[in-house]
Amino acid sequence: MSGALKARVMVKLSAFMNDQQNLSQNLGYQKDAKLLIIHADDAGLSQSENKATIQSLEQGSVNSFSIMVPCPWFYQVALYAKENPNYDYGIHLTLTCEWQSFKFGPVLSAKEVPSLVDNNDFFYKSRKELIENANPKEVILELRAQIDRALHFGLNPTHLDSHMYSLGASEELLKIYHELGEEYKLPIMLNKTLVEEMSGLKDLLINSSQNAVVDQVHLGNYEEFKIGNLSKFYENSLKSLMPGFNLLLIHPAFNTSEMTSITENHPNFGAEWRQIDLDFFTSKKCEQILFENNIQMITWKDIKRLYYP
Amino acid sequence: MSGALKARVMVKLSAFMNDQQNLSQNLGYQKDAKLLIIHADDAGLSQSENKATIQSLEQGSVNSFSIMVPCPWFYQVALYAKENPNYDYGIHLTLTCEWQSFKFGPVLSAKEVPSLVDNNDFFYKSRKELIENANPKEVILELRAQIDRALHFGLNPTHLDSHMYSLGASEELLKIYHELGEEYKLPIMLNKTLVEEMSGLKDLLINSSQNAVVDQVHLGNYEEFKIGNLSKFYENSLKSLMPGFNLLLIHPAFNTSEMTSITENHPNFGAEWRQIDLDFFTSKKCEQILFENNIQMITWKDIKRLYYP
């Protein structure tokens, strides 16, 4: 499609958007369609994560992912994203590093964003520490630097989301998240339940005329993992999907020595968990379930086209 | 030993140092002793490198190593160094990143040291690009930031050396290297042959009353590796060691998926090479050769005690 034609189609799509219709209809589906993005978080974190993310895209059912700019393997996955522009990928805005032995910090220097780093110049481990310490101006500076580095690299991201959903953890951070979306004309991943869980607050402003809000986020939980039920949880989630905008968040990686070391003493979203994610979402079974349940795979690119034509 | 006693012993050692005597005698050995440090470079580069470095120290013949502060696995190995202060470790001053898919950049932000980074804010791949672009003031800023971060972390390094021996690649960089050694009161790794090889220049100032110069650096070469002779090269180097200050530089790592990916298209010092280093220097054979050839293992700590008592 030529640039001009593409632009016209986009304007048309945009015009087609109608408040009377729901997201499904605006995307060209039935009103009660079960829309789904299967999204791999944490690309760039490690070699194992990159390799598994790529395998899940090429040979599996994952159809979107997001990239952690401050992480050591950013370059490799960013190059892949640039060379494979058909895939849907966003920026996994990063302000925390939850690991025990493996640490990363801001793209900017510690001196430029002192409120975002611990005593060793790395990101804080928890959302709690982040909220207690972060200066909002420095949050904006650092997140702009992350997005700008990705753009400068030649990336063309489809969305923004947030590592550990830290940007949903306070009203102030949520506001910054909204502003960044509007500034860069990118949809941000918003979900009411997640915001409530992260912030402990109800009714924080998450709606936006500039954005589609995810109706249901599906994320494995530690209880299911502990009893060996993670694949079953994914299976059930897919089989019982409700109509609307669904987002299934996974973290595929190989259970290697690298990944075991990164996730040391952190079985929640640890190396074993991530291998299960990889295995399930590259299985024939998963493909079959998606097909049999009449699930419509959408992407953030589709959302972006609607809201930022 | 109490602090006061230690201080007195150091003063005594220092007084004992005598220009009429050579380094061996100043360290308490016979004049013609074969002194050797077996040194693992590149700690902090990766999980594989860290694990192998630690194994080479604990179960092998490696008795010194150096840490790359800007690299992703700095935190893990720095913590190990801090918790195991008996080991000899230095700062592997880093200004280049030679890898194809795995990139790292300065501790400072790209804005603070623009002359040290490529278009994507990572270090240049080669010494040549570094020399062509680097502003000496920014080199000093970045290297101080690397050392300061290590000191702030609570490390007590025994020496400074230089990744890819970049600091031996020009008179200007060599001067900075010398100045940093004196500023931080740390011996720097100096060797005439290496400086000649890296800079293409003869007779650059490398002597210093503040420093012991390494007589012979032993470093595996690509030709030997290609014909499967790397272990044999190490064996021969040890068996034919000359009297004086010898330094054997190795890069132990496990040949994992992580390491293969880091060293993609770079078999010279690649993942296979590094596994050979690990295997040889944790072998009984190596231990035996050291013993049979009457080799005196010294450390940078010994050198530091002489020059910066």
Side-chain angles (χ1 to χ4, degrees):
Chain A
M1 208 188 301
S2 77
L5 177 55
K6 206 167 161 186
R8 280 202 301 281
V9 171
M10 282 176 177
V11 169
K12 207 174 155 195
L13 256 170
S14 173
F16 178 68
M17 236 170 81
N18 189 326
D19 283 351
Q20 301 303 306
Q21 300 195 134
N22 72 2
L23 180 70
S24 298
Q25 290 166 301
N26 283 329
L27 288 171
Y29 298 98
Q30 295 292 318
K31 191 175 179 180
D32 60 350
K34 296 183 272 184
L35 308 179
L36 176 65
I37 299 176
I38 301 181
H39 188 275
D41 289 9
D42 290 4
L45 176 69
S46 68
Q47 192 269 335
S48 308
E49 195 86 28
N50 281 2
K51 195 175 167 194
T53 301
I54 292 168
Q55 192 162 310
S56 312
L57 289 162
E58 293 183 353
Q59 298 160 41
S61 301
V62 169
N63 73 335
S64 186
F65 66 107
S66 64
I67 300 177
M68 301 176 84
V69 180
C71 288
W73 288 85
F74 163 72
Y75 178 85
Q76 187 191 52
V77 76
L79 202 64
Y80 178 83
K82 200 165 140 178
E83 287 169 357
N84 295 275
N86 286 337
Y87 286 119
D88 206 65
Y89 61 88
I91 309 300
H92 202 50
L93 298 170
T94 301
L95 294 170
T96 45
C97 173
E98 67 270 50
W99 312 116
Q100 176 181 305
S101 315
F102 179 69
K103 297 285 182 185
F104 44 81
V107 158
L108 295 176
S109 74
K111 247 188 244 168
E112 293 170 303
V113 287
S115 75
L116 304 187
V117 298
D118 66 13
N119 192 38
N120 294 314
D121 294 349
F122 297 113
F123 283 136
Y124 290 110
K125 275 179 100 167
S126 66
R127 284 179 292 266
K128 189 172 172 285
E129 290 165 288
L130 174 71
I131 291 169
E132 283 168 3
N133 291 285
N135 173 334
K137 280 183 193 159
E138 294 175 17
V139 171
I140 296 173
L141 271 183
E142 169 60 20
L143 295 182
R144 278 206 192 113
Q146 292 182 17
I147 301 168
D148 290 345
R149 175 173 282 199
L151 296 179
H152 178 74
F153 193 84
L155 296 187
N156 185 15
T158 48
H159 62 292
L160 300 176
D161 61 3
S162 167
H163 184 55
M164 293 170 60
Y165 214 63
S166 299
L167 291 173
S170 78
E171 192 168 358
E172 206 157 37
L173 291 175
L174 202 57
K175 199 166 155 265
I176 293 173
Y177 191 24
H178 272 279
E179 285 168 2
L180 287 170
E182 287 175 23
E183 182 178 342
Y184 288 95
K185 302 193 186 312
L186 290 170
I188 60 176
M189 192 277 265
L190 284 176
N191 172 259
K192 209 162 181 284
T193 312
L194 273 186
V195 169
E196 281 175 11
E197 274 173 21
M198 301 306 153
S199 67
L201 298 168
K202 293 213 168 214
D203 303 319
L204 280 184
L205 175 75
I206 61 159
N207 292 307
S208 162
S209 62
Q210 294 294 322
N211 218 85
V213 174
V214 180
D215 294 312
Q216 298 283 339
V217 166
H218 307 267
L219 182 64
N221 65 67
Y222 190 48
E223 293 311 309
E224 297 282 359
F225 168 74
K226 270 200 298 194
I227 59 168
N229 232 10
L230 196 53
S231 299
K232 199 74 198 162
F233 167 83
Y234 292 135
E235 199 180 320
N236 292 340
S237 298
L238 293 176
K239 285 182 176 168
S240 60
L241 218 59
M242 301 281 284
F245 182 6
N246 291 277
L247 180 64
L248 204 162
L249 294 180
I250 62 165
H251 303 79
F254 290 88
N255 185 2
T256 57
S257 171
E258 178 201 29
M259 214 57 219
T260 310
S261 195
I262 290 177
T263 63
E264 195 185 344
N265 292 327
H266 201 306
N268 193 16
F269 298 109
E272 237 184 282
W273 175 309
R274 290 172 192 240
Q275 179 75 51
I276 294 169
D277 285 4
L278 171 63
D279 293 342
F280 183 80
F281 290 94
T282 52
S283 70
K284 281 276 161 217
K285 189 178 188 177
C286 173
E287 209 177 292
Q288 190 72 14
I289 294 171
L290 290 170
F291 176 76
E292 284 169 359
N293 289 274
N294 199 25
I295 293 168
Q296 308 297 337
M297 298 301 291
I298 62 164
T299 61
W300 281 109
K301 216 177 269 178
D302 300 330
I303 309 284
K304 186 183 172 194
R305 208 176 285 142
L306 278 186
Y307 288 87
Y308 295 104
Chain B
M1 208 188 300
S2 76
L5 175 60
K6 206 169 161 187
R8 281 202 302 282
V9 171
M10 281 179 176
V11 170
K12 207 174 154 196
L13 255 171
S14 173
F16 178 68
M17 237 172 83
N18 187 328
D19 282 353
Q20 300 301 308
Q21 300 196 132
N22 72 2
L23 179 71
S24 297
Q25 291 167 300
N26 283 329
L27 288 172
Y29 297 98
Q30 295 291 319
K31 192 176 179 178
D32 61 351
K34 296 184 273 185
L35 308 179
L36 176 65
I37 298 174
I38 302 180
H39 189 275
D41 290 10
D42 290 5
L45 176 69
S46 68
Q47 192 270 335
S48 308
E49 196 86 30
N50 282 2
K51 196 176 167 194
T53 301
I54 291 168
Q55 192 161 311
S56 310
L57 289 163
E58 293 183 352
Q59 298 161 40
S61 301
V62 169
N63 72 335
S64 187
F65 66 106
S66 63
I67 299 177
M68 302 176 83
V69 180
C71 288
W73 288 84
F74 163 73
Y75 178 84
Q76 187 191 53
V77 76
L79 203 62
Y80 179 84
K82 200 164 137 178
E83 288 169 355
N84 295 274
N86 288 336
Y87 288 119
D88 207 65
Y89 61 87
I91 307 300
H92 203 51
L93 298 169
T94 301
L95 294 169
T96 45
C97 173
E98 67 270 51
W99 311 116
Q100 176 182 303
S101 314
F102 180 68
K103 297 285 183 187
F104 44 82
V107 158
L108 295 176
S109 73
K111 247 189 241 166
E112 293 171 302
V113 288
S115 75
L116 304 186
V117 297
D118 66 13
N119 191 38
N120 294 315
D121 294 349
F122 297 113
F123 283 136
Y124 290 110
K125 274 180 102 168
S126 65
R127 284 177 292 266
K128 189 171 173 286
E129 290 165 287
L130 173 71
I131 291 168
E132 284 169 3
N133 291 285
N135 173 335
K137 280 182 192 160
E138 293 175 16
V139 171
I140 295 173
L141 271 184
E142 169 61 20
L143 295 183
R144 277 204 194 117
Q146 292 182 16
I147 302 169
D148 290 344
R149 176 174 283 202
L151 297 179
H152 178 74
F153 193 83
L155 297 187
N156 185 16
T158 48
H159 62 290
L160 300 176
D161 61 1
S162 165
H163 185 57
M164 294 170 63
Y165 214 64
S166 298
L167 292 173
S170 79
E171 192 168 358
E172 207 156 37
L173 291 175
L174 203 54
K175 200 164 153 269
I176 293 172
Y177 193 23
H178 272 279
E179 286 167 359
L180 288 170
E182 288 175 22
E183 182 178 341
Y184 288 95
K185 303 193 185 312
L186 291 171
I188 60 174
M189 194 277 264
L190 284 176
N191 172 259
K192 208 162 183 282
T193 312
L194 273 187
V195 169
E196 281 176 13
E197 275 174 20
M198 300 306 152
S199 66
L201 297 168
K202 291 208 173 221
D203 302 320
L204 280 185
L205 176 75
I206 61 156
N207 292 309
S208 162
S209 61
Q210 294 293 323
N211 218 86
V213 174
V214 179
D215 294 313
Q216 299 281 338
V217 167
H218 307 267
L219 184 63
N221 65 67
Y222 191 47
E223 293 312 309
E224 297 282 0
F225 169 74
K226 270 200 299 196
I227 60 170
N229 232 8
L230 195 53
S231 300
K232 201 76 197 160
F233 168 83
Y234 292 135
E235 199 179 322
N236 292 340
S237 297
L238 293 176
K239 285 181 176 168
S240 61
L241 217 60
M242 300 282 284
F245 183 5
N246 291 277
L247 180 65
L248 204 160
L249 294 180
I250 63 166
H251 304 78
F254 290 88
N255 185 1
T256 56
S257 171
E258 178 199 29
M259 213 58 219
T260 311
S261 194
I262 290 177
T263 64
E264 196 185 343
N265 292 325
H266 200 308
N268 194 16
F269 298 108
E272 238 184 281
W273 175 309
R274 289 172 191 240
Q275 179 74 52
I276 295 169
D277 284 5
L278 171 63
D279 292 343
F280 183 79
F281 290 95
T282 51
S283 69
K284 281 277 161 214
K285 190 179 189 178
C286 173
E287 209 178 294
Q288 190 72 15
I289 295 170
L290 290 170
F291 176 75
E292 284 169 359
N293 289 273
N294 200 25
I295 293 168
Q296 309 297 338
M297 298 301 289
I298 62 164
T299 62
W300 281 108
K301 214 176 270 179
D302 301 329
I303 310 283
K304 185 184 173 195
R305 209 176 283 141
L306 277 184
Y307 287 88
Y308 294 104

